[in-house]
Amino acid sequence: MRNWYSICCAIVWLSSQGQVQPDVTVKRALTLMGTAFEISVVAPSEEIGYINVDEAVSEIKRIENIISSWNPDSETSKINAKAGIAPVPVSSELFDLITRAKTISEITDGAFDISYAAMDRLWKFDGSMTAVPSAEALRQALYKVGYQNIILDSSTKTVFLKRRGMRIGFGAIGKGYAADKVKKLLISKGVVGGLINASGDLTAWGTKANGEPWKVGIIDPFQKQEVLGWMPIVEASVATSGNYEKYVKLEGKQYSHIIDPRTGYPTEGVNSVSIFAQKAELCDALATAVFILGRDSGLHLINQLDGVEVVLIDNSGKMHKSSGIFLEIEQNK
């Protein structure tokens, strides 16, 4: 028969095994889809956290192999190669993404358009440009742009670009889409909290390991190291478009890297747009669209959409907010 001391020791050992260990936050920064990603997950241990991060990385690489226009073997590249020639069968995943992209094009009057990719070779922001593109070059490029010429057949799951030379690209929606897919995957794996930052396109769920909410900083476009204010992200996403990181100066004028697909010219009048919504994909696309639409039209659009908000900074440095944002953000000016 066991003595009293050995029984007590066994009870203490069993109790210690049942203790809930505090969660930890595991973070990794890396380059994926040609841009900077930062993946943060809340996990019971660092070992499990890094396994979750590896799963996230694999999912992003899988998506890149579908939507990359630089990978000749991707479904997107096959669509572009057959532009003006024949429809291309694609996966349901890509077909649905293009369908949603066209819907956003419709509600933004073409300010967002994945067929803008035909402009990629017209404007360059790597220091190689020496002059503004000619009117003729712009005309030829614009002929190849137009979401109306992306023909989708839901019965055969095919995509057809009507005009030769047309190209689609997901630079203004792909990062957000990848962030959403990673979030969905990790939640299915039981990850209680995390934040996916795809070069400024963020989605979050749960809280940090210490119980605090995830937060996003609104950057001052005139002083990139300064944060105008912080906003919590609670089960939501945010995407920011700005002209303060990528631009070209020609003949004494600064041109933004965000091109209006309707005119072929870089946008003016806005310095930064941050969109808040549930899905990072929608935030990503609308951040670009609002930047192109401008302050007044952009704010009007967002105020018509349920569950979508915006913080916009115009070229004079003044902050504007949609009607659903009640949080005061102090400007450090």
Side-chain angles (χ1 to χ4, degrees):
M1 182 176 179
R2 295 180 182 177
N3 60 34
W4 177 87
Y5 175 78
S6 62
I7 293 174
C8 287
C9 288
I11 293 173
V12 170
W13 182 84
L14 287 171
S15 297
S16 68
Q17 299 307 300
Q19 288 178 353
V20 177
Q21 298 298 315
D23 287 335
V24 297
T25 299
V26 173
K27 181 187 298 184
R28 183 186 298 172
L30 64 168
T31 299
L32 295 163
M33 298 176 69
T35 193
F37 268 77
E38 187 174 88
I39 302 168
S40 303
V41 298
V42 176
S45 68
E46 286 193 355
E47 181 181 7
I48 294 174
Y50 283 119
I51 291 173
N52 294 146
V53 170
D54 287 341
E55 291 172 327
V57 171
S58 296
E59 177 68 352
I60 295 168
K61 289 180 176 178
R62 183 191 69 80
I63 293 166
E64 183 175 19
N65 286 333
I66 295 172
I67 69 174
S68 171
S69 57
W70 304 108
N71 177 355
D73 297 322
S74 74
E75 291 184 54
T76 300
S77 291
K78 291 174 182 177
I79 293 170
N80 292 340
K82 289 289 187 179
I85 300 172
V88 176
V90 298
S91 63
S92 294
E93 181 175 5
L94 182 59
F95 187 90
D96 292 345
L97 176 59
I98 296 173
T99 300
R100 294 194 300 274
K102 283 196 67 176
T103 299
I104 297 172
S105 294
E106 291 167 0
I107 67 174
T108 61
D109 293 325
F112 172 83
D113 191 334
I114 59 174
S115 70
Y116 82 96
M119 297 271 185
D120 281 353
R121 297 179 179 86
L122 198 60
W123 292 88
K124 296 185 182 298
F125 299 89
D126 57 3
S128 63
M129 281 192 75
T130 58
V132 174
S134 67
E136 177 59 21
L138 284 167
R139 187 192 67 78
Q140 291 182 14
L142 283 171
Y143 177 77
K144 303 169 188 174
V145 176
Y147 68 92
Q148 303 92 336
N149 294 318
I150 303 173
I151 310 304
L152 304 176
D153 188 331
S154 58
S155 63
T156 58
K157 287 290 191 296
T158 58
V159 181
F160 178 51
L161 307 183
K162 284 179 66 174
R163 294 176 175 173
R164 286 183 179 268
M166 279 189 72
R167 298 175 67 242
I168 58 172
F170 297 93
I173 195 172
K175 298 191 304 295
Y177 174 65
D180 283 337
K181 293 291 286 185
V182 168
K183 175 180 177 178
K184 182 178 180 180
L185 172 69
L186 293 181
I187 289 175
S188 74
K189 300 285 185 179
V191 177
V192 296
L195 183 142
I196 312 300
N197 182 351
S199 191
D201 297 346
L202 298 89
T203 191
W205 70 102
T207 65
K208 297 179 182 180
N210 61 8
E212 294 180 358
W214 305 99
K215 292 182 180 181
V216 60
I218 306 298
I219 301 296
D220 185 338
F222 298 96
Q223 301 180 63
K224 291 182 286 185
Q225 304 305 316
E226 296 291 329
V227 177
L228 294 176
W230 294 88
M231 292 187 67
I233 310 176
V234 181
E235 305 297 331
S237 305
V238 59
T240 298
S241 288
N243 65 0
Y244 44 84
E245 291 185 340
K246 217 171 169 185
Y247 56 86
V248 62
K249 285 188 176 182
L250 300 170
E251 301 173 1
K253 183 176 180 179
Q254 181 171 308
Y255 293 90
S256 162
H257 77 288
I258 300 177
I259 309 297
D260 187 336
R262 303 166 300 180
T263 66
Y265 283 98
T267 55
E268 296 181 341
V270 175
N271 277 338
S272 174
V273 171
S274 294
I275 299 287
F276 299 81
Q278 185 176 16
K279 296 289 187 180
E281 174 189 310
L282 182 61
C283 291
D284 197 0
L286 287 180
T288 300
V290 170
F291 205 103
I292 290 168
L293 289 169
R295 182 192 65 193
D296 295 338
S297 295
L299 284 169
H300 178 73
L301 170 67
I302 297 304
N303 283 329
Q304 309 309 306
L305 301 177
D306 291 336
V308 183
E309 304 296 341
V310 63
V311 174
L312 181 152
I313 301 173
D314 63 25
N315 59 2
S316 68
K318 185 176 181 181
M319 182 182 293
H320 306 267
K321 297 176 286 185
S322 54
S323 58
I325 290 186
F326 303 106
L327 180 67
E328 290 296 324
I329 306 174
E330 293 186 3
Q331 298 191 62
N332 302 322
K333 285 185 177 287

